[in-house]
Amino acid sequence: MMRWFTLLAASLLAGCVQMQSVRGTGDLGVVIERANGRVAVVETTGKTVLGRIEGLGDLSHASVVFSRDGRYAYVFGRDGGLTKVDLLTATIAKRVMQAGNSIGGAISQDGRLVVAQNYQPGGIKVFDAASLELLSEVPAAYGTEGKHSKVVGLADLTGNRFAYALFDAGQIWVTDLSDPRNPKTEKFAAGNQPYDGLVTPDGRHYLAGLFGEDGIALLDTWRPQDGARKILGGYGRGQEKLPVFKMPHLRGWAMAGGNAYLPAIGSHEVLVVDARNWQGVHRIPVKGQPVFVMARPDGRQVWVNFAFPDNGWVQVIDTVAGKVVQTLEPGKAILHMEFTPRGEAVWLSARDDNKVVVYDTATFKPLTTLPMQAPSGIFFTTRAARTGF
Amino acid sequence: MKYAAAIAVGTLALAAHAGEREAELIRLVRQDCGSCHGMTLKGGLGLPLTPEALGDKPADSLVSTVMNGRPGTAMPPWKTIISEQDAEWIVKRLLEGFPEEK
């Protein structure tokens, strides 16, 4: 009997190791694994997996935002599941099914609201970040026939406002959620088929990339009365457009030395834009059609991955030299990249090699490899403190 | 007798080859078509590609959509990546309910 008790106590203790050792969350993160709707909780100091959580539904192309204390990850699943994951205990804190087809979300400036952007039914939904209670929604209705648009490019602005783009309606909307149960929305004409959006690190400018025409729609959210205007309209004109096998992602974009680095669409180029006047300054030829164009936190390097069929490559642009200085082959189907908080290393997911590879950004040498089941997105808690992430 | 055995082996090799190509195509559809149509093919930026959604749309026009894309929409032409037979195989499977990745 006694023996049995000792055993039980020992195994209970073992089960609680994670909860018992006090630790911070600044070096934590999650990796989306496709198998069984699973996420891996990782830490970037020792570069290890701390735990795995299953049962989050369809996580293809899932995205994540963090609570401001860096403890909780809000995981937006493709099937409309929204799961609040506790990184410290590696458990599900809350989970709701909020839509039929969702592509991501954002968290408010004050950390109290989590907003989901949905394809089906098209619109946004607003949740209490603590309880995941639904507070309000804004259907993306447009035109006169009661149609709803798919929503893309949701980004948080100051004052608990959110900007997003309507793919089918060609509009940018800004919703003010300072009173979260009474959303107030302003609408701006943007252009043909905005496919994704981003906000500048200061929260001022919202940019929506256009698929259906050349150029990018730009809204100065400090001067909304001016409306959205088009930049880079003639940029890249005269070139034959290549078929686009995957839409580029703008979130996670790069701002370095006063210039913005953006993925071109339908060409093998990274666009360099002067962020003071939004004029194109330069186009950097790269190996394929860029998907993510991400600056190392210091802005000295910009890392680029590519659409199918060039998704085995990763290139590094040196922002001082203004050109590609490294071409790497980290594995098959590189879907995402994430820098450690101060950028000495970058984690890359190689979906078809079932691994995550960590590279040293100074030497471009792999530091370690972590086995993962079809990994896609990698998200670190540093995002908690950044506007637009 | 020897001859029959040789044929049998040859057919097996062919079948193995076809199986491999099919596995590649299943992966392509789930992963790379999935980036727009959703990995479950229930739709995303692109339309749903489930049997219910495709209904009785003629197979040959769907094959042509896959090969040539739809100008003016985000659907790209895949003819530089896959063959006509590949596209026919994909469309046939889409209409029946697409197989899962192994």
Side-chain angles (χ1 to χ4, degrees), chain A residues 34 58 60 101 150 245 351-352, chain B residues 27 31 39-40 43-44 77:
Chain A
R34 199 192 58 219
D58 175 7
S60 46
N101 198 324
K150 296 186 270 287
F245 294 115
R351 181 195 66 204
D352 292 356
Chain B
R27 170 151 270 218
Q31 301 296 335
M39 210 149 65
T40 56

Side-chain angles (χ1 to χ4, degrees), chain A residues 260-273:
Chain A
Y261 291 72
L262 297 164
I265 187 156
S267 78
H268 292 187
E269 288 173 328
V270 168
L271 308 179
V272 187
V273 182

Side-chain angles (χ1 to χ4, degrees), chain A residues 34 58 60-61 78 101 119 150 152 167 193 211 243-247 308-309 311 351-352, chain B residues 27-28 31-32 34-35 38-40 42-45 72-74 76-78 80-81 101:
Chain A
R34 199 192 58 219
D58 175 7
S60 46
H61 309 99
R78 193 57 178 263
N101 198 324
Y119 280 159
K150 296 186 270 287
V152 298
F167 179 78
Q193 294 174 321
F211 179 79
V244 176
F245 294 115
K246 180 170 180 161
M247 291 292 179
F308 178 86
N311 55 9
R351 181 195 66 204
D352 292 356
Chain B
R27 170 151 270 218
L28 176 87
Q31 301 296 335
D32 298 295
S35 79
M39 210 149 65
T40 56
K42 287 184 192 145
L45 208 58
T73 79
W78 289 85
T80 54
I81 311 279
E101 259 184 277

Side-chain angles (χ1 to χ4, degrees), chain A residues 320-368:
Chain A
V320 174
K323 60 173 200 228
V324 170
V325 293
Q326 278 290 326
T327 299
L328 306 169
E329 256 187 296
K332 282 192 232 140
I334 303 299
L335 290 196
H336 200 217
M337 313 176 276
E338 181 83 334
F339 292 94
T340 54
R342 297 205 193 173
E344 82 291 349
V346 61
W347 290 42
L348 303 149
S349 54
R351 181 195 66 204
D352 292 356
D353 276 340
N354 294 312
K355 66 180 184 185
V356 162
V357 195
V358 183
Y359 272 79
D360 183 317
T361 63
T363 62
F364 305 107
K365 297 271 179 296
L367 295 171
T368 189

